[in-house]
Amino acid sequence: MSKRAYFGTDGIRGQANKHPMTAEVALRVGLAAGKLFRSQDERRHLVVIGKDTRLSGYMIEPALVAGLTSVGLDVRLFGPLPTPAVAMMTRSMRADLGVMISASHNSFADNGIKLFGPDGYKLSDEQELKIEALMDEGLQEGLAAPRELGRVKRIDDAQARYVEIVKATFPRHRNLSGLRIVIDCANGAAYRVAPTALYELGAEVISLGVSPDGTNINEECGSTHPEAMAKMVREYRADIGIALDGDADRLVICDEKGVVVDGDQIMAIIAGAFAKDGALKGGGVVATVMSNLGLERHLNALGMSLERTAVGDRYVMQRMREGGFNVGGEQSGHLILSDFSTTGDGLIAALQVLAVMVESGQPMSALSRQFEPVPQLLENVRFAGGKPLEAKTVKEAIADGEAQLNGSGRIVVRASGTEPLIRIMAEGDDPALVKKVVKSIAGAVKAA
């Protein structure tokens, strides 16, 4: 695959008002994506746009709109709405393209542009490369005639529509009455929809991170700072805490004691419940190479498989589609339940966990230890340049580590997709041996 100039692993992302996250680049994305998705037939073409609560959204959104309307596409603006909601609405409104303006769990200073095709799935690498090629063409190419310019409207009921879709994923014969739930919306895109959905399903809701001011998204709150949610759970003696990230496509949960539960345990809870109801597809779960070996052993013991992919929710989704799976995700809390959504949806995943709580009558603390995690150690080594992973000494150190673990553990060594780091992860039943293996590989990487 050729080198991408703008698109990373999850759309275009960067610091606001610095290349590539400038108004000019947003304008070019609008022009290019508009040209790519404008087919030859005579009908009007439609693009839907959602965003999170970052200040820079006010700059990026009009620039995208200018690009799209100038090549003749009509635009519908949702305002603040979770990423998965934009993916859903792209499909349900039969739009040709969906756009989400967000940098997910990053701080307010960053922003990003994610694109969804008419089917509600993230664009393929090929489509992104075509858009990049069109972005570097002259801005005067392929513009619409004065009468053919696109029209723009705000959609006022987008949030209400999404709330209804989310509520419909909860078992019909059940509700959340009698449950006290802390929901932390990270001052992000779900600040209205998440508390509303939980309240309308009958819960007593204690909200946190629901006062966005443009600069406080993900700040000391949300899934990247679950301690705020855990503290509230203990203070209010809640039954469960749910923390979303800035665009609400991932979640972290804590039990009634304030103990945080990671994505691996959540996948085990949901997969187990789906399997029991005969609703699990594909015979197992899709997760990344970072998911704990304990999850794999737990699923295998229950007759389910764990398929692993490279890190990134798009790779998880790709494998789910190929293999017909309906449960997948990442340890970090990106959970994809493809019966309901085409991308990770923190709120829908939380409702599936709540459904298990309600059906079983058990407290979250009883459900949250589906398996004992195998001791896992992660070390990041910064490097200045070159390709340390191709060094013979590093390859030998990895092979040596694998021989020492002798089938009772795993080693994953990879370059970070976002910063100049080599990430070394090892896990196994013997914590002392795991530590020794990681130290030895880290030493070899540093020397290389």
Side-chain angles (χ1 to χ4, degrees):
M1 196 177 75
S2 55
K3 181 87 177 79
R4 295 133 74 91
Y6 298 101
F7 286 91
T9 48
D10 198 10
I12 301 173
R13 199 179 283 191
Q15 193 178 330
N17 236 6
K18 263 178 81 174
H19 186 82
M21 218 63 255
T22 59
E24 189 210 344
V25 171
L27 174 73
R28 287 180 182 273
V29 172
L31 282 162
K35 288 174 199 171
L36 184 66
F37 281 84
R38 184 182 63 192
S39 54
Q40 297 311 307
D41 52 12
E42 289 302 299
R43 69 189 172 86
R44 300 297 297 171
H45 289 75
L46 182 67
V47 180
V48 296
I49 302 180
K51 60 179 181 177
D52 64 22
T53 56
R54 289 160 213 271
L55 181 59
S56 53
Y58 290 113
M59 171 188 77
I60 305 288
E61 186 183 69
L64 275 166
V65 169
L68 290 160
T69 51
S70 69
V71 290
L73 276 74
D74 291 338
V75 178
R76 299 289 177 267
L77 300 174
F78 295 144
L81 202 64
T83 294
V86 173
M88 282 174 192
M89 302 290 272
T90 305
R91 236 170 39 172
S92 83
M93 291 178 69
R94 294 170 64 179
D96 298 277
L97 182 67
V99 185
M100 177 66 184
I101 304 165
S102 172
S104 194
H105 56 279
N106 292 23
S107 80
F108 92 94
D110 293 342
N111 215 333
I113 298 170
K114 290 184 208 192
L115 304 175
F116 295 96
D119 56 1
Y121 289 98
K122 287 179 182 172
L123 297 190
S124 66
D125 292 339
E126 292 74 41
Q127 287 170 311
E128 288 182 349
L129 284 167
K130 280 181 188 165
I131 289 172
E132 289 203 347
L134 288 166
M135 281 170 72
D136 292 332
E137 279 185 7
L139 295 179
Q140 305 304 317
E141 310 294 317
L143 298 181
R147 222 178 252 281
E148 303 304 316
L149 290 169
R151 293 172 186 271
V152 186
K153 276 189 199 149
R154 287 206 168 273
I155 301 289
D156 293 325
D157 67 343
Q159 295 186 340
R161 286 195 203 189
Y162 175 63
V163 167
E164 290 307 317
I165 292 169
V166 165
K167 280 160 50 186
T169 67
F170 196 74
R172 284 246 157 87
H173 56 288
R174 298 285 187 185
N175 62 43
L176 297 174
S177 65
L179 283 182
R180 183 181 288 178
I181 299 172
V182 168
I183 175 85
D184 180 349
C185 302
N187 291 315
Y191 79 100
R192 284 207 184 113
V193 292
T196 303
L198 294 169
Y199 174 78
E200 291 183 3
L201 284 168
E204 181 189 337
V205 182
I206 296 150
S207 304
L208 184 65
V210 289
S211 312
D213 63 10
T215 63
N216 62 359
I217 188 169
N218 299 316
E219 189 181 10
E220 303 300 318
C221 61
S223 63
T224 44
H225 299 281
E227 52 282 358
M229 154 193 74
K231 184 168 174 265
M232 291 278 269
V233 165
R234 290 191 295 266
E235 259 172 45
Y236 287 89
R237 295 209 292 280
D239 297 292
I240 187 173
I242 298 161
L244 305 171
D245 67 340
D247 67 337
D249 65 352
R250 71 161 81 185
L251 91 155
V252 168
I253 283 175
C254 76
D255 67 16
E256 73 280 8
K257 297 167 186 166
V259 178
V260 172
V261 184
D262 76 4
D264 284 347
Q265 299 284 359
I266 298 170
M267 279 189 273
I269 294 169
I270 295 173
F274 278 24
K276 198 170 121 222
D277 295 342
L280 188 73
K281 296 174 190 162
V285 172
V286 179
T288 74
V289 290
M290 300 311 283
S291 274
N292 195 281
L293 184 59
L295 173 64
E296 190 171 333
R297 291 175 178 172
H298 168 76
L299 293 171
N300 292 165
L302 295 173
M304 293 181 255
S305 65
L306 179 71
E307 297 234 355
R308 293 183 184 270
T309 70
V311 173
D313 61 331
R314 62 190 293 166
Y315 302 113
V316 173
M317 188 74 230
Q318 199 177 327
R319 182 68 200 107
M320 287 173 72
R321 291 178 81 181
E322 288 163 5
F325 294 86
N326 63 346
V327 178
E330 298 190 276
Q331 195 180 38
S332 61
H334 262 129
L335 296 165
I336 305 171
L337 305 172
S338 60
D339 290 351
F340 310 123
S341 181
T342 53
T343 183
D345 190 317
L347 187 52
I348 285 178
L351 285 181
Q352 298 312 303
V353 173
L354 286 164
V356 177
M357 260 179 89
V358 171
E359 299 265 353
S360 68
Q362 291 183 291
M364 190 62 211
S365 57
L367 295 169
S368 62
R369 290 299 266 194
Q370 293 283 312
F371 62 89
E372 275 309 311
V374 169
Q376 191 179 65
L377 188 63
L378 182 64
E379 187 168 329
N380 293 323
V381 179
R382 207 161 264 287
F383 68 100
K387 295 184 174 169
L389 291 187
E390 289 176 18
K392 186 167 176 253
T393 48
V394 173
K395 288 179 178 169
E396 282 169 358
I398 294 169
D400 183 45
E402 280 169 345
Q404 287 184 59
L405 287 171
N406 192 19
S408 71
R410 287 189 322 124
I411 297 171
V412 179
V413 182
R414 65 186 187 91
S416 162
T418 51
E419 42 194 335
L421 295 176
I422 300 294
R423 302 193 190 280
I424 302 158
M425 189 278 284
E427 56 184 4
D429 299 314
D430 176 353
L433 178 58
V434 167
K435 190 174 176 184
K436 185 180 150 202
V437 166
V438 169
K439 288 278 167 266
S440 152
I441 296 170
V445 171
K446 283 170 189 162

